[in-house]
Amino acid sequence: MSDIGRPESGGELRRRLRQQQLISAFGREALRGQDLDGLLQDAAQAASEGLGTSLAKVLQHIPAENCLLIVAGVGWGKDVVGVVRFGTDLASPAGFALRTGAPVISNHLGGEGRFRTPQLMVEHGVRRAVNVLIRGEAGAPPFGVLEVDSRDEEEEFSESDVDFLQSLANVVGLAIDRDRDRRDRDLLTREAHHRVKNSLQIAQTLLRLQLREVEDPEARVQLEQAARRIMTIGAVHERLFSGPAIGQVAVATYLRGLVEDLRSSLGVGEGGRPLALEVTPASETAVWDGDRVTTLGLVATELVTNAYKYGRDGVMVRLDIAALDGAGVLVVEDGGDGPPEGYDQVKGRGLGMRILSTLLRGGGLVAERPAGGRFRFVATLSPAPSPGA
């Protein structure tokens, strides 16, 4: 019998009010973009609380296995979530909801002639259950089923309970659609970065092949430097889809990989001038967008290459990223004399210095001669996005 039009007691009104509060709170959490696994678990918790039981679960349809897999739940024993599967046939309450799209209320599972009681529910003493479909966008296959179970038969699930549960399931469906859209965008983004990386690798290979045909020393140097710059940008695209999030790169990890690449391209051997890297603790956890990391990589490549071209001893690279505002300071130090006193490194004629001037907006590079006969360049990377971001 439908609850529509039936007077509700004070307790019943409080129950419905609490259900509305739960739907509202769950909707806010869904809008915050919580990860899908956590959201499904929250949905099971809200369903359990809203219907006053200790058992609830979310079942995802796995078409390849023709089953419903429990992917979230509350009140179940160990080794249930992510393990137990239900049938999708019409004799299964959850299967019936999945196949017909209609909600299922079974207040007396023991005497139910329509459905069988799954073994898991028998083991947990379940006597009544209610199931609703978790739909997705129009035309897409349903995600699965949201189910609430109870061990007592003193009360009965009502159509008002179905309305609450279906409202909850509808919010879940919207969140699933958004998650699917995000994953589709991520996949396209990954593919785009992968293609860019491959194109850069081809360009680098062509430059390396061209090097074999060039005899002029200065031309060879320019081609080698161009190949390193391409390598630097390609490494960013490779890590843009392997970092903590799409489009984000762990700076310290990237710089370590870049230093290794530079060791190889510059021919730094065991008996040659060493190339060392020092990263401050605050820099270890820094995550930057692709534009900023590209700037860092190109600056490091230019300065390290310059140090090996003009310096005498080993090269030390230091990275310090401020924990508060994310500004970065890159120091490249070598044993050379550096440019002559009064040399304007920003307006230097070399292509490398012109690249640095553009990347650092003209004023982010300082030449220093500390005590001890060393020389170093200090490059400051703004916490703001790089130009063109």
Side-chain angles (χ1 to χ4, degrees):
M1 174 180 178
S2 172
D3 290 351
I4 298 175
R6 189 177 68 186
E8 294 182 320
S9 65
E12 189 71 10
L13 287 172
R14 285 191 295 271
R15 176 184 172 103
R16 302 306 167 203
L17 178 60
R18 179 55 182 156
Q19 289 177 349
Q20 292 302 313
Q21 291 171 337
L22 287 167
I23 293 171
S24 177
F26 179 72
R28 288 195 299 270
E29 288 300 314
L31 288 174
R32 291 177 183 172
Q34 181 182 358
D35 70 279
L36 186 58
D37 289 342
L39 192 71
L40 295 178
Q41 186 62 34
D42 287 349
Q45 184 65 51
S48 170
E49 183 177 346
L51 295 191
T53 77
S54 60
L55 296 169
K57 56 183 176 284
V58 177
L59 301 104
Q60 181 179 356
H61 183 215
I62 312 296
E65 301 179 20
N66 194 29
C67 73
L68 285 160
L69 172 67
I70 300 178
V71 293
V74 295
W76 305 100
K78 297 179 179 179
D79 300 327
V80 170
V81 175
V83 176
V84 175
R85 291 162 167 78
F86 285 180
T88 60
D89 57 285
L90 295 176
S92 161
F96 187 93
L98 177 72
R99 288 186 173 275
T100 66
V104 175
I105 299 178
S106 182
N107 285 311
H108 305 283
L109 281 173
E112 181 67 73
R114 297 176 300 168
F115 310 115
R116 65 176 182 275
T117 304
Q119 184 61 31
L120 173 71
M121 297 164 70
V122 173
E123 293 172 356
H124 284 75
V126 174
R127 303 199 174 187
R128 55 192 177 99
V130 55
N131 296 262
V132 297
L133 186 67
I134 300 175
R135 295 178 174 86
E137 60 187 12
F143 175 82
V145 173
L146 177 60
E147 178 175 324
V148 174
D149 306 302
S150 178
R151 293 185 176 93
D152 69 75
E153 290 183 313
E154 295 180 4
E155 297 184 16
E156 292 188 349
F157 291 127
S158 66
E159 291 193 20
S160 292
D161 293 329
V162 169
D163 292 340
F164 159 71
L165 205 60
Q166 189 64 70
S167 296
L168 205 60
N170 290 344
V171 177
V172 173
L174 291 173
I176 290 169
D177 286 343
R178 186 173 64 180
D179 182 74
R180 184 184 294 116
D181 291 341
R182 178 189 59 78
R183 284 187 283 111
D184 288 344
R185 288 195 302 271
D186 287 352
L187 183 62
L188 291 173
T189 302
R190 288 175 188 270
E191 179 63 23
H193 285 303
H194 182 70
R195 293 191 178 194
V196 170
K197 183 195 73 171
N198 287 345
S199 297
L200 291 170
Q201 286 179 337
I202 292 172
Q204 185 184 16
T205 300
L206 291 175
L207 284 175
R208 297 291 184 193
L209 290 173
Q210 186 67 31
L211 271 169
R212 299 178 183 178
E213 308 297 327
V214 175
E215 296 182 359
D216 180 70
E218 183 59 30
R220 288 184 62 85
V221 169
Q222 295 300 326
L223 286 173
E224 287 172 351
Q225 289 180 341
R228 290 190 195 101
R229 290 166 187 141
I230 291 174
M231 171 199 72
T232 299
I233 299 171
V236 173
H237 283 278
E238 181 177 10
R239 289 174 173 83
L240 277 173
F241 55 85
S242 61
I246 295 295
Q248 299 292 304
V249 180
V251 181
T253 300
Y254 165 74
L255 192 56
R256 288 191 179 95
L258 177 61
V259 167
E260 287 300 319
D261 291 340
L262 288 172
R263 283 196 183 102
S264 176
S265 68
L266 291 168
V268 179
E270 294 182 1
R273 295 154 56 196
L275 172 59
L277 173 64
E278 179 182 301
V279 179
T280 62
S283 306
E284 291 287 356
T285 57
V287 175
W288 284 0
D289 62 80
D291 287 332
R292 292 192 69 199
V293 175
T294 299
T295 298
L296 169 66
L298 288 171
V299 169
T301 298
E302 296 300 326
L303 292 180
V304 170
T305 302
N306 184 75
Y308 269 92
K309 183 177 181 180
Y310 298 107
R312 293 191 303 267
D313 301 328
V315 177
M316 169 63 76
V317 180
R318 295 186 180 90
L319 177 67
D320 184 12
I321 298 177
L324 293 180
D325 65 3
V329 175
L330 181 74
V331 178
V332 176
E333 183 177 281
D334 64 64
D337 297 326
E341 294 287 351
Y343 175 79
D344 191 340
Q345 70 273 3
V346 173
K347 297 180 181 179
R349 295 181 179 179
L351 176 60
M353 286 301 172
R354 294 203 299 274
I355 290 175
L356 290 173
S357 177
T358 300
L359 292 171
L360 299 173
R361 303 181 184 181
L365 186 65
V366 177
E368 297 181 351
R369 290 177 174 81
R374 307 285 288 179
F375 172 80
R376 68 186 178 204
F377 274 120
V378 180
T380 301
L381 297 125
S382 169
S386 303

